[in-house]
Amino acid sequence: TVAMFTGKANCPYYAKAELLLDCLQTNLPNFKVHKITQHPDKWEQWLHDICETNGWEHSQSPIIWRELLDRGGKGQLLGGLKDFLEYAQKYYGITSMMLSEEMSDIAEENLQTHLEIVQEDEEIKSLIKPLQIWITSASAPICYHLIPLLANGEVFGMTTEISIHLLDTDQFKQILCGIVMEAEDMAFPLLRSISGHTEIDQAFIEADIIIVLDDVLLNLEVQPLENYIGEVNEICQVYAPLIEKNAKSDVKVITSGKTFANLKAMMIRTYGPSIRPENIIAIATSWESAAKAMLARKLNANIAGVKDVIVWGNITGSNYIDLSHAKLYGYDCAIWGPPNYPRSLLNMIRDSEWVHSEFLSAQSTLSSQVSHCAGMLPAHAVATVLQYWYHDSPSDEIVSVGILSEGQFCIPEGIIFSMPVRFQNGNWEVITELEINETTQKVLERLSHELVQEKLVALKEIEEMRPYEAE
């Protein structure tokens, strides 16, 4: 028998029943007691809820019932103190002779103990603060692949719990519910909670990290580019004020997706001026990975050995894959060295014609691969950058990230531009000591012009919207 026993912590009748239950548990090997004390202020509501759930009628403290574990059904109500005294006398021949004064003293001790336990639990919970991660447009395939990467402990560390919030429109509510159920079934030890949200007003509450996956279906044969830029504007105009209002002051905002990654970061910065500009970045790692894979196939080398491929410019638009600093590790050739011995990748290819013709012209092919990937590649890219942000990137490696330009490499200030950085101590810094040749500098000028024009179109959209807002 398992006896469930609950009452107000300061109830003297609870104290008397408790003594009797303890006696039964001590003397009867198959009799177990599970006690739950309730604060006096919460007792009435708790009692109402449990009686309504089980179809019981009971109004006093305590309440005692048998848990019918062997039958798989609901518990059998025994009643209050008087009922239980009769039950114990009838079935076990045991009763309680506790005096009223003793009952009151123990009730007072029970209340004090209850308050101490509650305070201790609250202190323990306060020490465990899971990272609050919000993912927008969460019905996208990238989100499905991203959740296991965030929850397995490799990104934030094996001692950091996370709570994931999936945000999308009401039409994708069922998809969000399916993702939530599947993630819960996987029982990740570090996933404190996962939930779906379709109410935009409640978005980004207490967010530590926001991953923006929103995309537009780009088809320039149907609509001009300005229309799509207007769609991005509308999305960011909704998100940015909510981030300022609801998220934590040091929130990190990451933009990804197949279209307008730079512009999304730029407009969130524009509409959310109080968001720290260094905490808004666009992900370029998918391009890095695709380019490294293409180079490794050419050299018949391990993809993991290709390092320091730089992505410049507009991540999901016109960009430039720079191999002038690329290195190759662990390459099987006539010259051997230790595992950390790098070789110049361009020197190892030797086929300069391939680099200048096939590889550079293949960027449209890379663009197609990145844009049409199922979601694993961009999910891995987001997870990798977050891991670097929280635990540093390898000290001798270059990472490409879309950041707000401050004039580095003669790039105009005020645009989000992909450039080489390193992550250290929870921050990133641009690797300005890299030498840029004349050819690369000219390419950067062209890419900068494109992004400046894109920004001007977006700002024009803002100006055109203001008269309507005023009305």
Side-chain angles (χ1 to χ4, degrees):
T1 299
V2 177
M4 305 296 292
F5 172 46
T6 305
K8 290 190 290 186
N10 63 344
C11 174
Y13 300 110
Y14 176 92
K16 187 168 185 175
E18 181 182 28
L19 179 65
L20 180 55
L21 284 161
D22 287 344
C23 180
L24 291 172
Q25 183 171 240
T26 302
N27 292 282
L28 301 173
N30 295 322
F31 190 96
K32 304 297 179 184
V33 179
H34 184 66
K35 307 174 189 177
I36 308 171
T37 57
Q38 298 291 336
H39 192 280
D41 295 342
K42 299 181 179 180
W43 164 253
E44 295 294 340
Q45 185 62 49
W46 185 92
L47 181 63
H48 173 271
D49 292 344
I50 194 169
C51 287
E52 186 175 30
T53 300
N54 291 279
W56 297 335
E57 290 187 9
H58 189 82
S59 59
Q60 302 295 325
S61 171
I63 180 172
I64 306 165
W65 70 94
R66 285 181 59 200
E67 193 76 9
L68 304 179
L69 299 177
D70 56 335
R71 302 183 191 178
K74 67 180 182 180
Q76 176 188 6
L77 179 65
L78 300 179
L81 174 62
K82 182 180 177 181
D83 301 312
F84 184 65
L85 288 175
E86 293 176 356
Y87 178 87
Q89 180 69 45
K90 179 180 179 180
Y91 286 97
Y92 305 114
I94 298 176
T95 189
S96 174
M97 305 300 294
M98 183 183 290
L99 301 176
S100 298
E101 184 178 350
E102 188 179 3
M103 289 164 56
S104 298
D105 291 342
I106 293 176
E108 189 174 333
E109 291 178 7
N110 281 345
L111 177 60
Q112 186 61 37
T113 301
H114 175 80
L115 294 174
E116 291 174 359
I117 291 173
V118 169
Q119 183 179 358
E120 183 179 346
D121 288 344
E122 288 177 353
E123 289 175 355
I124 292 172
K125 288 178 181 177
S126 69
L127 297 175
I128 305 173
K129 296 180 179 179
L131 281 175
Q132 303 294 326
I133 303 171
W134 284 77
I135 305 175
T136 73
S137 200
S139 62
I142 175 177
C143 179
Y144 187 82
H145 294 282
L146 180 59
I147 290 171
L149 299 178
L150 298 178
N152 66 14
E154 294 182 8
V155 174
F156 303 108
M158 299 305 297
T159 59
T160 302
E161 292 189 344
I162 64 173
S163 290
I164 297 178
H165 306 267
L166 308 177
L167 178 66
D168 215 317
T169 57
D170 195 58
Q171 71 181 102
F172 297 107
K173 188 174 183 178
Q174 290 302 316
I175 294 178
L176 296 188
C177 290
I179 296 173
V180 167
M181 290 178 63
E182 194 166 349
E184 288 175 340
D185 290 346
M186 293 182 74
F188 294 104
L190 297 174
L191 183 58
R192 171 74 71 86
S193 64
I194 180 168
S195 55
H197 304 264
T198 56
E199 298 294 331
I200 190 65
D201 292 343
Q202 302 300 314
F204 313 130
I205 291 178
E206 291 299 303
D208 293 290
I209 299 166
I210 298 171
I211 302 168
V212 180
L213 302 181
D214 296 71
D215 266 323
V216 296
L217 298 175
L218 197 62
N219 187 345
L220 297 179
E221 294 180 0
V222 177
Q223 293 188 76
L225 184 64
E226 291 79 4
N227 290 16
Y228 295 109
I229 291 177
E231 289 184 38
V232 174
N233 249 334
E234 292 176 9
I235 294 169
C236 297
Q237 192 176 28
V238 173
Y239 286 167
L242 287 170
I243 295 172
E244 290 185 304
K245 176 185 176 183
N246 295 338
K248 293 179 181 175
S249 59
D250 59 347
V251 63
K252 294 176 170 61
V253 181
I254 291 177
T255 63
S256 184
K258 300 176 181 179
T259 57
F260 298 109
N262 294 53
L263 184 62
K264 284 181 284 189
M266 181 71 253
M267 300 320 295
I268 288 174
R269 168 65 186 141
T270 301
Y271 287 120
S274 69
I275 305 171
R276 296 180 182 178
E278 66 273 17
N279 280 7
I280 304 174
I281 66 173
I283 299 294
T285 320
S286 297
W287 278 91
E288 280 187 20
S289 299
K292 289 174 182 177
M294 187 174 182
L295 293 163
R297 285 191 290 268
K298 172 67 176 176
L299 290 164
N300 194 26
N302 187 343
I303 298 174
V306 182
K307 307 290 185 183
D308 299 349
V309 173
I310 303 173
V311 179
W312 297 94
N314 191 352
I315 296 165
T316 50
S318 296
N319 57 46
Y320 173 58
I321 309 296
D322 183 3
L323 305 182
S324 60
H325 300 276
K327 300 180 182 67
L328 190 61
Y329 292 83
Y331 187 51
D332 187 10
C333 66
I335 302 175
W336 286 57
N340 60 348
Y341 173 68
R343 297 173 174 85
S344 168
L345 185 138
L346 289 177
N347 289 343
M348 300 310 297
I349 289 180
R350 295 187 180 87
D351 187 354
S352 58
E353 183 63 27
W354 179 86
V355 173
H356 293 293
S357 59
E358 290 188 40
F359 179 76
L360 293 179
S361 63
Q363 288 199 34
S364 59
T365 305
L366 288 176
S367 177
S368 177
Q369 290 176 358
V370 173
S371 298
H372 292 89
C373 62
M376 285 190 291
L377 179 57
H380 181 266
V382 171
T384 298
V385 170
L386 277 172
Q387 182 179 21
Y388 290 165
W389 211 341
Y390 278 83
H391 299 289
D392 301 350
S393 57
S395 58
D396 56 347
E397 287 187 28
I398 295 172
V399 184
S400 301
V401 174
I403 60 169
L404 188 66
S405 170
E406 296 180 350
Q408 303 96 333
F409 307 108
C410 299
I411 297 167
E413 295 183 22
I415 58 173
I416 299 292
F417 198 93
S418 180
M419 61 182 78
V421 306
R422 66 170 63 92
F423 288 87
Q424 193 171 16
N425 300 324
N427 301 302
W428 52 260
E429 61 176 359
V430 179
I431 308 176
T432 53
E433 64 269 22
L434 284 181
E435 294 183 6
I436 305 299
N437 59 40
E438 186 177 345
T439 302
T440 300
Q441 192 65 62
K442 289 181 179 179
V443 173
L444 298 189
E445 290 175 8
R446 176 176 57 81
L447 298 178
S448 299
H449 178 74
E450 179 185 288
L451 280 169
V452 168
Q453 293 303 309
E454 188 174 87
K455 178 183 176 181
L456 290 174
V457 171
L459 293 176
K460 183 181 178 183
E461 291 280 342
I462 297 174
E463 291 299 326
E464 290 177 351
M465 290 165 60
R466 281 175 179 164
Y468 296 101
E469 293 173 358
E471 292 175 8

